[in-house]
Amino acid sequence: MSRRTDLRFRATTAVQRRLNPLLRRLPLQTVLETTGRVSGRPRRTPVGGRRVGGSFWLVSEFGERSQYVRNIKADPRVRVRIRGRWHEGTAHLMPQDDPVARLRGLPRVNSLGVRALGTNLLTVRVDLDG
């Protein structure tokens, strides 16, 4: 990884560490809950994405460097809070999907941020139960 990419990653995650606790408390903020791969405790991350039928789609701006992606690799069972309501599901990493094209169909504000800050985009699909 280049020095510039590493600096962008570090700066973005430093900001996210401060903003995420505030954002995940907002009742209508979409939140992804994974199980910590080491601790086994629930980990909640505000995300941008969109429900399409029985699936929820999002794009990780740092691909497999994102902590929630690492947690998904260890345990794909997740919960997603969409419009204040929790849904259980199974997450799938989609490296064959075109994340830039996928972002065009997701909420604009988040997609703009992911494109601007992201260094290794990765599509994630959550198949929702029921």
Side-chain angles (χ1 to χ4, degrees):
M1 177 174 292
S2 75
R3 179 170 156 68
R4 182 181 174 133
T5 299
D6 190 53
L7 287 174
R8 185 187 300 180
F9 173 77
R10 289 173 186 264
T12 302
T13 55
V15 171
Q16 287 174 338
R17 276 191 206 106
R18 287 170 177 70
L19 283 180
N20 285 356
L22 301 172
L23 291 174
R24 65 180 170 235
R25 291 183 183 162
L26 297 174
L28 295 181
Q29 171 67 49
T30 303
V31 175
L32 175 69
E33 182 182 85
T34 60
T35 301
R37 62 194 177 283
V38 175
S39 69
R41 296 172 56 190
R43 299 296 181 199
R44 293 182 176 176
T45 306
V47 294
R50 176 166 283 142
R51 183 174 183 164
V52 179
S55 296
F56 180 81
W57 292 84
L58 65 119
V59 174
S60 167
E61 68 263 58
F62 295 114
E64 294 192 17
R65 278 189 88 181
S66 295
Q67 297 301 316
Y68 69 87
V69 171
R70 291 177 177 184
N71 290 341
I72 287 169
K73 287 177 79 172
D75 181 0
R77 293 296 301 165
V78 300
R79 292 192 325 151
V80 182
R81 186 178 73 193
I82 306 168
R83 296 186 183 133
R85 184 167 173 249
W86 285 101
H87 304 269
E88 293 187 6
T90 304
H92 304 277
L93 306 180
M94 309 290 292
Q96 72 279 11
D97 191 66
D98 180 354
V100 175
R102 180 69 55 194
L103 284 170
R104 289 186 201 115
L106 299 180
R108 287 184 187 191
V109 173
N110 180 74
S111 295
L112 179 64
V114 169
R115 273 193 295 260
L117 300 173
T119 58
N120 189 20
L121 304 180
L122 175 66
T123 302
V124 179
R125 184 188 78 224
V126 178
D127 294 331
L128 304 172
D129 297 343

